[in-house]
Amino acid sequence: MPQATVLRGWILAEQGQEKKGIAQMRQGLAAWRATGAEIGSPWFLALLAEGCGKAGQIEEGLTVLTEALTAVDKTGERHYEAELYRLKGQLLLNAECRMRN
């Protein structure tokens, strides 16, 4: 099940195994998309962006969030939109903090 693969990857990233978790989330997303499904994509992409942030992959996380926001506009699936913007703000803040240090 693609959804389970995404969630398992997110859990791995949360447990500090970011690289492995990101790979699993990407695998699950690819399988999800292969079914032609679009509903749920913003949430799955948010989980991936969060994992990228934990791994220090700020630019990649921002790219994933742009994709998620595009999916929101395409599908009208707005229930997770505020969280996407919160994550975007968090990634931008993390990027700013890195630049200052």
Side-chain angles (χ1 to χ4, degrees), residues 36-59:
E38 292 184 25
I39 300 299
S41 293
W43 180 50
F44 293 149
L45 290 165
L47 297 178
L48 176 57
E50 188 176 358
C52 289
K54 287 183 183 300
Q57 300 173 7
I58 304 299
E59 289 300 320

Side-chain angles (χ1 to χ4, degrees), residues 1-2 16 34 36 48 51 56 66 80 90 92 101:
M1 290 186 85
L48 176 57
T66 298
Y80 213 67
Q90 186 65 52
L92 290 170
N101 291 330

